[in-house]
Amino acid sequence: MNDFSYLHTNCFEITVELSCDKFPHASELPEEWENNRESLLLFMEQVHRGIKGVVRDGDTDEGIPNAIISVDGINHDVRTG
């Protein structure tokens, strides 16, 4: 679903897997958190990188739905909501 969502809806989803154990025992969770806390927090900070804003009509200042945003060097256009 992650690839499909990104390519067809512009929704960027991620899946984080820490080990091969799909259902770790509850007693293992504190150690898993400590082992990965800093990496997860740094990853979450990345949401503030990049370009963001509202595409507005220059005359009316209204938002423009379905405007296509293209960035040179990135082969994936994005539509405004």
Side-chain angles (χ1 to χ4, degrees):
M1 277 306 288
N2 294 4
D3 292 340
F4 177 86
S5 293
Y6 177 66
L7 291 173
H8 300 288
T9 70
N10 297 317
C11 177
F12 188 72
E13 299 175 350
I14 63 162
T15 300
V16 177
E17 297 181 9
L18 299 176
S19 72
C20 294
D21 188 356
K22 188 167 182 84
F23 301 105
H25 190 270
S27 65
E28 299 173 41
L29 297 179
E31 183 178 359
E32 289 293 347
W33 170 248
E34 286 304 318
N35 289 341
N36 296 283
R37 178 175 46 102
E38 190 63 26
S39 296
L40 179 60
L41 294 174
L42 287 171
F43 179 79
M44 289 169 52
E45 287 177 10
Q46 298 305 307
V47 71
H48 300 291
R49 294 188 59 190
I51 299 171
K52 53 189 163 188
V54 178
V55 178
R56 298 183 187 274
D57 183 293
D59 296 325
T60 66
D61 207 34
E62 294 290 319
I64 301 175
N66 293 316
I68 298 173
I69 311 299
S70 298
V71 177
D72 286 343
I74 298 177
N75 190 23
H76 179 77
D77 294 340
V78 179
R79 290 186 178 268
T80 62

